[in-house]
Amino acid sequence: MHLIKNELDFGSWLDAAAGSSVGAGPLPRRENQDNLLLIDASGHAVCLSQQAPLYCQVPGWPLGHVRAAVLDGMGGHGHGREAAEAAVQGLLAIPACMDTASLSARLDALHTRLQASFASAAPATARPPGTTLTLLEVPPGQAPLLYHVGDSRLYEVSDGVASILTVDHVPATVYAMRGALDEARWRASVHGEHHPQISQAFILGNAIGDALQLEKPLRALDAGNLPPFLAHLGDRRVLSLRRGAHYVLASDGFWACADPLALTARWPALCAGKTAAQAVSALLDDFHATPPEGLHSDNITALVLRFSP
């Protein structure tokens, strides 16, 4: 398990930390295919390379700007770790962005480049690789910008509740977009259960269209295509922050169990009154010490941010 905190400096307005583990369960994974990225207010960065923390300096990074991301490589398609690592290296090369339009354009272009690169190097019969990407871009003194692809999540943990601020890109969401699932059935399927299927991933592409066939571009989910009960949780938006809240970026290994809601219901007590580093340690330690029932072994990664008033 890797806990990352002391080497980075986020100034007085933000506290952030991250941790990643190969996971728990009856048959733990041999490889950690998750990844993460933290770029601090001085341009110092950390990510995972060959499953170990790698520290570097981002040249020309503007003072006070922060970038944070969690990625979950798709192991079922092969080269999941490599896809997540390639995406992180691409994120390190993207300049700081000040608005959602420029952030989306930069990341969509990175998706297209990496997709072409992996396709040219793979046999024709190989399943294309992919990774989730849930990213927060935080310009100095401004609200965070969200960019989200896949089924990793952003949680707001506050006042005893862990609220999900992203929409999983999974088949149930596609059915809800077509009117085939109402809110109760969608929440029961997506939040109350765990399914390993995914309908969109960075580098991979999307299977959200009418034909349910893989298409190369990414498709942003927003008020224009989401059902009304999800319309406020668009993939690419400016976040409204709650004072004193912990914001948790996490990979789906945490809730790959029989009762996901029971697992995340433990998070508010684990985070209460803690710094970001203490909260990350509490989340990972609790998961390893008391794995949830029916756990499907998977990698786990958590990145916690706390914003000062």
Side-chain angles (χ1 to χ4, degrees), residues 216-231:
K216 290 185 176 181
L218 294 174
R219 184 170 178 181
L221 306 189
D222 54 30
N225 51 34
L226 287 169
F229 63 88
L230 295 175

Side-chain angles (χ1 to χ4, degrees), residues 42-265:
S42 300
H44 297 103
V46 62
C47 60
L48 298 183
S49 178
Q50 300 294 320
Q51 306 178 67
L54 173 68
Y55 293 86
C56 62
Q57 175 69 41
V58 181
W61 191 255
L63 186 66
H65 201 101
V66 171
R67 179 173 293 163
V70 162
L71 306 92
D72 181 357
M74 296 175 61
H77 281 223
H79 301 290
R81 177 177 60 79
E82 291 82 356
E85 287 187 2
V88 163
Q89 292 305 309
L91 295 177
L92 285 167
I94 290 178
C97 298
M98 301 298 292
D99 57 75
T100 54
S102 59
L103 180 65
S104 295
R106 293 277 190 178
L107 290 174
D108 285 351
L110 175 62
H111 158 79
T112 300
R113 291 197 303 272
L114 292 178
Q115 188 178 72
S117 176
F118 275 97
S120 65
T125 56
R127 299 178 72 186
T131 178
T132 71
L133 172 59
T134 304
L135 179 144
L136 293 181
E137 187 87 351
V138 193
Q142 298 186 31
L145 313 174
L146 170 69
Y147 181 98
H148 170 67
V149 181
D151 63 351
S152 296
R153 294 174 182 169
L154 170 64
Y155 282 83
E156 180 183 76
V157 180
S158 179
D159 296 332
V161 178
S163 303
I164 304 174
L165 301 186
T166 49
V167 176
D168 289 10
H169 296 174
V170 294
T173 299
V174 178
Y175 297 142
M177 292 167 65
R178 298 176 179 181
L181 283 182
D182 61 16
E183 180 174 2
R185 293 169 63 197
W186 180 86
R187 293 193 184 281
S189 176
V190 177
H191 295 171
E193 304 171 356
H194 178 261
H195 303 281
Q197 298 89 357
I198 192 170
S199 296
Q200 179 164 236
F202 202 76
I203 302 175
L204 176 70
N206 87 85
I208 296 175
D210 292 339
L212 291 179
Q213 295 179 345
L214 187 64
E215 299 176 351
K216 290 185 176 181
L218 294 174
R219 184 170 178 181
L221 306 189
D222 54 30
N225 51 34
L226 287 169
F229 63 88
L230 295 175
H232 62 295
L233 297 178
D235 295 335
R236 309 175 185 192
R237 71 184 195 273
V238 180
L239 294 179
S240 297
L241 299 178
R242 180 173 295 186
R243 182 177 298 179
H246 291 78
Y247 290 89
V248 183
L249 296 164
S251 61
D252 73 337
F254 277 104
W255 50 89
C257 58
D259 189 353
L261 290 175
L263 182 281
T264 55

Side-chain angles (χ1 to χ4, degrees), residues 1-5 16-22 32 34-36 38 48 53 70 249-251 254 276-277 279-281 283-284 299-304:
M1 183 171 70
H2 298 290
L3 178 65
I4 297 162
K5 163 60 181 175
S20 187
S21 166
V22 72
N32 188 357
D34 284 0
N35 214 310
L36 59 91
L38 271 173
L48 298 183
V70 162
L249 296 164
S251 61
F254 277 104
V280 168
S281 294
L283 294 177
L284 271 65
N299 310 140
I300 57 171
T301 299
L303 194 157
V304 174

